[in-house]
Amino acid sequence: MEFIKEFWEFLKVRKKYWLLPIIIVLVLFGGIIVLSQGSAIAPFIYTIF
């Protein structure tokens, strides 16, 4: 949680709010890939990329 708080402070101080959607999308895609490994969904996920 400390990293998230520091990252949020960095975004506020540097006015880099446009980075937030990019980071969120990358985290979501990473989570989908990790959670879908070894499941029946994996072949469909990998066709997206």
Side-chain angles (χ1 to χ4, degrees):
M1 289 306 280
E2 185 70 27
F3 173 75
I4 294 171
K5 286 176 19 180
E6 275 189 46
F7 184 68
W8 179 247
E9 289 298 319
F10 168 78
L11 291 178
K12 284 189 346 188
V13 170
R14 305 274 188 211
K15 306 277 194 265
K16 303 278 187 187
Y17 295 114
W18 56 272
L19 284 174
L20 199 57
I22 296 169
I23 300 298
I24 290 172
V25 168
L26 286 174
V27 167
L28 286 176
F29 276 141
I32 288 172
I33 290 173
V34 167
L35 292 177
S36 69
Q37 284 182 343
S39 71
I41 303 171
F44 302 109
I45 297 296
Y46 291 124
T47 58
I48 293 173
F49 302 106

